[in-house]
Structure formats: C-alpha cells, structure tokens
Amino acid sequence: MKRQWLPALALLLLSLFFLWGVTGYPHDAQLPSGTSLEAPSPAHWMGTDNLGVDVYAQVSAGYFRSMGIGLATALCSFLVGGFLGTWAGFSGGRVDLVISFLIQVLLSIPQLPIMIVLGAFLGQSTWNIIWIIAAFSWAPIARQMRAKTRSLRGADYVRLAQLYGGSPWYLIRAHMGRALWPLLAVSALAVVGRAILQESSLAFLGLSDPLARSWGMMIARAIRFPGIYQTAFWTWWLAAPAGALILSTLLLRLLVRGLEQRLDTEG
C-alpha cells in the first residue's frame, strides 16, 4: 500500500531540521568557546571538540553548507539535465544519439574516484565542488526527461498541435509541460541528498574547503583523534555530524520517494 503521508511527514521533519539549524546560538563555529572536549552541557549543547570549538555550532554551520551545495547542484542539474533530456527526446535523430551517448557514459563510469581526481586537480573551492558534483548529477535527470518526452511526443494531441504549426517550444510549454515539470522537479530534488553525501565524502578525504565547516570534515577529524573509540568523546563529537548527515539524507529520500509515488498515482 502506498503511503501518501510520507511527503508531508518528511517535509515537516525537514522544516524542523531547518529551524534547528537557524536557531540562534551564542557560540562561534570557527573559534574556541570552551575547553577541549567538554561533554554536552547547558553551556555547550553538544559539547566541544579537541580544540574547544562548540560542536553544535559546527553542525549547524555544516547544515547550511551541505544544503547550499545540494541545492546549487540540484539547480545546475535541473537546468542542464532538463534541457538536454527534453531536447534529445523531442528532436530524436543525431541529437538524441549524441546526448544518449553522453548520458550512458556518465552513468557507467565510477563517479567517486573521478570526483576525487578532479577535486585534487581543481582545488579546494566550494564552487569547484559544486561543478564537479553537478557534472555527474545531470545524467539521471536527462535520461528520465528524454524517456518522458519521447512518450509524450507520440501523443495524438501533441502531433495534432504540431500539424497546426506549433513550434517545439510551444509544444513543450503548452502541451507537454504539465507532465514534464513535476518529473523534472522531483528528479532535481533527488539530487540534493546525493550531493550532500558526495560533498561529505570529498570533505572527509580533505578535498573540500578547509576553512568551511563540513560534516564530512568533522567526521574525519573525530575519527583521526587518538583513542576516540576508547573514550566517550565519540558520543558527541562523532555522533552529532554523522547523525545529522544520516538524518538529512534519509528525510530527503523519504520526501522524494513519496513524491515519486504521487506522480505514479497521478500518471
């Protein structure tokens, strides 16, 4: 049985997660505000790390960085994947062959190793991370848009409008858009969760901006601390960014899954 309440629940929890991220907090995410490795207390809600920097402030800063990168990547994938997929599906012929070949290449190659190489080559810039992740994120969107456009192009009402002189842009906007735009939006939303995981992976490997607070970087610093698992430090220093990463990607996946089910029902 399809759970129609999943999108609403996931959206509610994501909203609460956002409110948690913007909660006013007196401590800085860059500068020490306490002693080294303080346990959670009213002064430091999630304790401090080995440098005395508040963990809650770092997790909150990492939330906005991860979400910002995820949304920027999704926007790039929305534009590139939507345009190329629709163009290929509507045009057919050589255009379809070339774009389909690019899609298959990007979907078949191992992404993370190439991202690591590109990240090491291009440098530790936030925008470089966005471009690298977006370069591998548009292909699934383009594949879905191509398939949907091809199926809609053969519909009787679209062919009739084309016989009456409708331009490609008019046909896509007026007759096919109602079915294409929701699919494109949901597909782009799915990119956000994947981009968060990929950015955290690159940050974990030291390929992200070293001056920015990132969940992946926090996890990397925590697990490299000597004896982290033989002490109670991991219960706040490591568990906090790992839990935020898991929870955010899980909620985004639940939201996307629920919206996909709704599209299937309406389609």
Side-chain angles (χ1 to χ4, degrees), residues 24-44:
Y25 197 60
H27 299 304
D28 193 275
Q30 301 285 348
L31 301 175
S33 57
T35 58
S36 176
L37 296 170
E38 287 187 37
S41 66
H44 300 281

Side-chain angles (χ1 to χ4, degrees), residues 102 104-123 128-129 131-137 198 201-202 205 207:
L102 290 176
Q104 292 303 320
V105 169
L106 289 175
L107 292 177
S108 61
I109 60 177
Q111 297 184 4
L112 186 58
I114 298 179
M115 286 183 182
I116 293 172
V117 174
L118 292 175
F121 179 77
L122 295 176
N128 285 341
I129 296 298
W131 300 132
I132 291 170
I133 298 175
F136 292 91
S137 299
Q198 290 167 339
S201 300
L202 294 175
L205 296 172
L207 299 174

Side-chain angles (χ1 to χ4, degrees), residues 66-78 127 130-131 134 191-192 195:
S66 295
M67 282 295 177
I69 289 177
L71 292 173
T73 302
L75 178 60
C76 295
S77 302
F78 177 93
W127 280 108
I130 293 173
W131 300 132
V191 171
V192 179

Side-chain angles (χ1 to χ4, degrees), residues 23-216:
T23 300
Y25 197 60
H27 299 304
D28 193 275
Q30 301 285 348
L31 301 175
S33 57
T35 58
S36 176
L37 296 170
E38 287 187 37
S41 66
H44 300 281
W45 298 348
M46 291 183 177
T48 62
D49 63 11
N50 61 327
L51 299 178
V53 182
D54 189 85
V55 172
Y56 182 98
Q58 294 182 67
V59 172
S60 178
Y63 169 82
F64 291 106
R65 172 176 171 79
S66 295
M67 282 295 177
I69 289 177
L71 292 173
T73 302
L75 178 60
C76 295
S77 302
F78 177 93
L79 296 174
V80 176
F83 173 74
L84 292 179
T86 305
W87 186 22
F90 191 89
S91 299
R94 293 182 179 179
V95 172
D96 188 22
L97 288 175
V98 172
I99 296 177
S100 297
F101 175 76
L102 290 176
I103 292 172
Q104 292 303 320
V105 169
L106 289 175
L107 292 177
S108 61
I109 60 177
Q111 297 184 4
L112 186 58
I114 298 179
M115 286 183 182
I116 293 172
V117 174
L118 292 175
F121 179 77
L122 295 176
Q124 298 169 313
S125 165
T126 298
W127 280 108
N128 285 341
I129 296 298
I130 293 173
W131 300 132
I132 291 170
I133 298 175
F136 292 91
S137 299
W138 65 266
I141 296 178
R143 181 177 62 177
Q144 290 182 310
M145 294 298 293
R146 172 186 173 272
K148 188 67 173 179
T149 303
R150 284 174 62 90
S151 66
L152 292 173
R153 188 188 176 195
D156 292 338
Y157 63 92
V158 175
R159 301 180 72 160
L160 182 61
Q162 190 173 18
L163 289 175
Y164 276 95
S167 65
W169 169 242
Y170 171 79
L171 295 175
I172 293 172
R173 177 177 55 85
H175 295 283
M176 303 165 66
R178 186 172 297 179
L180 290 177
W181 306 140
L183 176 62
L184 178 57
V186 173
S187 300
L189 184 61
V191 171
V192 179
R194 292 197 300 269
I196 290 174
L197 286 175
Q198 290 167 339
E199 185 276 332
S200 296
S201 300
L202 294 175
F204 180 85
L205 296 172
L207 299 174
S208 185
D209 186 354
L211 300 179
R213 290 303 177 186
S214 168
W215 292 337

